[in-house]
Amino acid sequence: MKLENQVAVVTGGSGALGGAIALELARGGALVVVGYGRNKAAALRTVKQIKAAGGRAFPLAIQVEKSAAVEKAVAEVLRRFGRIDILVNNAGIVRDKLLMLMSEAEWDEVLNVNLKGIFNCCQAVLKPMIARKSGAIVNVSSVSALRGVEGQANYAAAKAGIAGLTRSLVQEVSRYNIRVNSVAPGLIESELTDSLKSKYLKMIPLGKAGKPAEVARAVVFLASADSSYVQGQTMVVDGGLTA
């Protein structure tokens, strides 16, 4: 139980990847706050699954694109559990469209959730982490930031921004024993990637899409003391797509 007695917050916990990350953190012994934006029912299913396996979990609405909502959510976690040891910034959306056809609203919505949301969440948890002089932040990026994907200019830009944010934050918080890293999943089985499978499967050396649990295990590694000397890195989990 490498994460025993730790409190982990996972944003976007109602999706396939977020749910898998929450489950894996709970298996490691953490008490997991399963954050959700709109799909409360899916978050509750994840919480139920964690509890059925003997873990501890708590659902919490976190609209990551709104700083006041994030601050309120973090205050609620601190009120209930007294600490935040791990933050996994997983919340994300897609609004895929060719750039010349993309509306300003579609650009803004993706950047607000996928990048500004990480800014809001990191800012809110840093004070309690700095006070304790410990913490781990794992940001979920994407291989779209590394190779580009047609129709994902907004998504790729947001995910590429995560790398710069991660490395810059390292320079600010390492002195407080806070580690910041990211993972960049490739084609992972979920409702968001079904339409991409036919195009990208043939490009993946392993010849298959990844499973959410395979990314979740990488997140747990980066969140735990197993990666105590890993700082400011992006771990690519893509079956060789960007090799």
Side-chain angles (χ1 to χ4, degrees):
M1 304 291 280
K2 63 181 71 177
L3 302 176
E4 192 172 9
N5 298 322
Q6 296 193 39
V7 176
V9 176
V10 180
T11 68
S14 58
L17 180 55
I21 291 169
L23 282 165
E24 202 66 28
L25 288 166
R27 288 191 183 105
L31 185 157
V32 184
V33 177
V34 181
Y36 63 91
R38 297 176 179 84
N39 197 343
K40 182 178 181 179
L44 288 173
R45 286 195 294 271
T46 297
V47 169
K48 184 178 180 180
Q49 191 174 358
I50 289 171
K51 289 183 175 180
R56 298 172 298 162
F58 174 77
L60 185 64
I62 309 176
Q63 288 184 278
V64 297
E65 68 273 27
K66 298 181 179 181
S67 60
V70 171
E71 290 171 3
K72 181 180 178 181
V74 167
E76 177 66 8
V77 175
L78 294 174
R79 185 186 70 81
R80 284 178 174 268
F81 308 117
R83 58 194 290 172
I84 297 175
D85 301 285
I86 298 164
L87 168 66
V88 180
N89 284 307
N90 170 71
I93 61 172
V94 293
R95 298 290 182 268
D96 292 357
K97 192 173 287 185
L98 294 176
L99 183 65
M100 64 181 293
L101 302 175
M102 188 179 294
S103 69
E104 183 178 359
E106 288 166 333
W107 174 272
D108 288 346
E109 188 178 6
V110 170
L111 269 290
N112 282 339
V113 174
N114 295 13
L115 185 57
K116 183 185 176 184
I118 292 182
F119 161 78
N120 287 336
C121 292
C122 287
Q123 191 172 64
V125 304
L126 280 178
K127 284 184 179 179
M129 284 186 175
I130 288 171
R132 295 182 61 86
K133 289 187 169 54
S134 69
I137 297 173
V138 183
N139 299 320
V140 178
S141 181
S142 168
V143 295
S144 294
L146 306 176
R147 69 183 308 277
V149 176
E150 180 182 4
Q152 286 196 337
N154 49 2
Y155 185 80
K159 293 300 187 177
I162 291 172
L165 184 155
T166 297
R167 289 193 294 268
S168 295
L169 192 54
V170 161
Q171 304 304 318
E172 299 179 13
V173 302
S174 293
R175 73 197 74 170
Y176 303 110
N177 193 36
I178 298 169
R179 294 185 304 104
V180 191
N181 291 286
S182 68
V183 294
L187 184 66
I188 306 300
E189 293 177 354
S190 77
E191 64 277 6
L192 296 179
T193 61
D194 285 343
S195 62
L196 300 173
K197 283 184 179 180
S198 60
K199 181 176 181 179
Y200 288 99
L201 274 179
K202 60 181 177 291
M203 302 180 187
I204 300 171
L206 283 180
K208 61 181 180 179
K211 297 184 182 301
E214 293 174 305
V215 180
R217 288 192 287 271
V219 170
V220 170
F221 169 73
L222 292 173
S224 74
D226 287 347
S227 61
S228 58
Y229 201 57
V230 180
Q231 182 70 308
Q233 300 303 306
T234 297
M235 180 180 290
V236 180
V237 187
D238 70 352
L241 179 60
T242 56

